[in-house]
Amino acid sequence: MSGYFLYHSIGTFPGKAERMAAALAEFSGVWSAEDDGQWPAALGARQRFIDAWSRLIEAPQGTLTTAENVTSALYSLIGALPSKRLAGKRLLIAADCFPSLHFLLAGLAERFGFTLDTVPPRPGESWVRDEDFIVRWQDDVGLALLTFVTSTASHRCDVARLAAHGSAMGSIVGVDITQGVGVAPFSVARTPVDFVVSTSLKWLGGTSGAGILQVTPDLLATCRPELRGWFSQPNPFSWDLDSFSYASDARRFDHGTPAILASVASLPGLEWVAETGVDAIRAQNTALAERIIGCALDNGWAVRSPLDPNERGGSVMLTLPQGVDPAKLVSTLRSERLYCDARGATLRLSPGMVTTDDAVDALLARLQNLIGSRQRRAS
């Protein structure tokens, strides 16, 4: 029985340890060889990671590159924009975004001359409604950052609807897809946005440090990244100090010598998702999530996530009632090899491809014992 309910955190897949170990062992052999083949092999491995990501989200060739994480990717994009795109304008974001991005933008607002406008959820609600975001979105919004799936409620926004509104407003539209990619379909070909940031954690089963930045060709052509270096050039081996120029593609967002290990370690997860198919992953996840939600409603537990699977990512969030200690509950479940976590009073449950039916049964039985029944729903 695998009681792993932590896909919102790291994520895994069948055979992960073996496939990662093989990839890292192969790289170790190449990198340690006493010859001159290290960099061609390492850069080839990084490119395979980039190509796998490009296929996953159907991004045009040359529009995607690596980043350490979503925060550094967003910082690189913000610093690369022409000043007129943000100065004197609002930058719109929802209050249920990933906090790290809000921390970054709050610190950059004065320097880049924009006003950070944070759309709150309605009183008593767990996520920001798409219609409330749109109401705040006029033509003075220079950039809007969407959260594909939230980490606190697993709410999935309607990217197509929001992006279409943003286009009508003349805004740059970016989306953080970290919590949804790999378990919910996403394609920049079918749902055009101006840029995408993500990591390879969560449903992709990768490692930390394997982030990405994808920028549409029209916006890419106008970007002049502040963080630049020898790898930002068309020819990284150009040493002419007075003739720097940017690469024509997403490599302009590269800078110093690129990190390789995170790409090598994360590629097996991307390949596994491609082999398995997002639709199959989604179907299995939805079946398990619906069982959790059904039990929660039957027992009167407060569900923080949307009940409609089309409006939900891969996680189910429950609000623990007063009198239930979240840390103690998580610890108790851990002792029985049922792995989840809590953010305050929010219990986060994310079943994935390694999570068994028996584990769901065990989880629900223990939650009924630990939380008890409240006001049951009508049958």
Side-chain angles (χ1 to χ4, degrees):
M1 180 184 82
S2 176
Y4 192 80
F5 293 87
L6 282 168
Y7 278 83
H8 56 267
S9 178
I10 293 178
T12 189
F13 57 92
K16 178 179 179 178
E18 295 78 10
R19 292 177 70 157
M20 278 186 62
L24 290 169
E26 180 182 359
F27 181 80
S28 178
V30 170
W31 196 253
S32 303
E34 296 176 358
D35 57 27
D36 63 353
Q38 286 79 18
W39 277 114
L43 294 178
R46 178 176 181 253
Q47 188 60 49
R48 288 192 294 276
F49 170 83
I50 290 172
D51 292 342
W53 253 106
S54 297
R55 289 191 296 270
L56 176 66
I57 63 172
E58 297 185 300
Q61 185 177 8
T63 65
L64 188 148
T65 191
T66 59
E68 183 180 0
N69 50 53
V70 293
T71 310
S72 62
L74 180 60
Y75 177 79
S76 188
L77 185 282
I78 293 293
L81 295 173
S83 59
K84 65 181 181 180
R85 301 304 300 267
L86 293 180
K89 298 187 177 182
R90 285 186 296 135
L91 194 156
L92 198 64
I93 194 168
D96 54 2
C97 68
F98 188 61
S100 184
L101 302 183
H102 199 278
F103 298 154
L104 171 71
L105 295 172
L108 295 180
E110 182 176 357
R111 179 184 166 201
F112 288 96
F114 62 82
T115 299
L116 183 60
D117 189 1
T118 306
V119 183
R122 296 183 185 184
E125 296 191 348
S126 303
W127 63 84
V128 176
R129 297 192 187 192
D130 291 354
E131 55 265 37
D132 292 349
F133 200 84
I134 287 173
V135 165
R136 290 276 276 273
W137 195 342
Q138 288 85 40
D139 60 8
D140 65 329
V141 172
L143 185 152
L145 183 61
L146 313 179
T147 301
F148 181 35
V149 174
T150 68
S151 62
T152 52
S154 197
H155 170 251
R156 174 154 54 121
C157 73
D158 187 340
V159 176
R161 177 189 179 194
L162 292 165
H165 180 80
S167 178
M169 294 297 103
S171 308
I172 296 170
V173 181
V175 58
D176 171 13
I177 63 172
T178 301
Q179 285 285 353
V181 65
V183 74
F186 179 84
S187 164
V188 295
R190 286 171 284 172
T191 309
V193 292
D194 295 300
F195 71 91
V196 174
V197 292
S198 186
T199 74
S200 302
L201 292 166
K202 325 297 181 184
W203 304 96
L204 300 181
T207 71
S208 61
I212 61 100
L213 169 64
Q214 190 272 335
V215 185
T216 193
D218 289 345
L219 182 62
L220 183 65
T222 71
C223 289
R224 300 291 184 270
E226 290 184 324
L227 182 58
R228 66 186 196 179
W230 67 310
F231 264 77
S232 312
Q233 305 177 104
N235 173 19
F237 297 99
S238 171
W239 300 124
D240 187 341
L241 300 182
D242 298 318
S243 63
F244 175 86
S245 63
Y246 288 104
S248 61
D249 58 12
R251 290 184 304 118
R252 67 177 50 199
F253 284 99
D254 295 344
H255 34 86
T257 305
I260 304 296
L261 277 178
S263 296
V264 171
S266 297
L267 183 57
L270 288 164
E271 291 174 338
W272 183 86
V273 169
E275 294 162 8
T276 306
V278 173
D279 288 345
I281 295 170
R282 179 70 181 169
Q284 189 262 9
N285 163 264
T286 300
L288 297 183
E290 288 295 304
R291 289 183 57 199
I292 296 171
I293 290 174
C295 181
L297 294 176
D298 284 342
N299 283 281
W301 304 335
V303 179
R304 286 181 58 89
S305 302
L307 300 183
D308 184 345
N310 294 318
E311 298 177 5
R312 191 176 67 240
S315 305
V316 177
M317 316 300 194
L318 306 178
T319 301
L320 296 174
Q322 289 186 348
V324 176
D325 183 335
K328 184 176 179 180
L329 183 144
V330 169
S331 178
T332 299
L333 293 174
R334 184 188 304 115
S335 71
E336 300 180 22
R337 302 178 66 184
L338 298 168
Y339 303 101
C340 57
D341 66 15
R343 291 290 182 267
T346 300
L347 184 68
R348 305 196 298 174
L349 304 169
S350 303
M353 292 299 278
V354 304
T355 313
T356 63
D357 287 329
D358 287 345
V360 175
D361 290 338
L363 172 75
L364 296 177
R366 290 303 285 135
L367 289 179
Q368 285 176 309
N369 178 260
L370 294 166
I371 300 175
S373 294
R374 308 288 154 166
Q375 181 65 43
R376 295 175 181 269
R377 68 174 175 181
S379 59

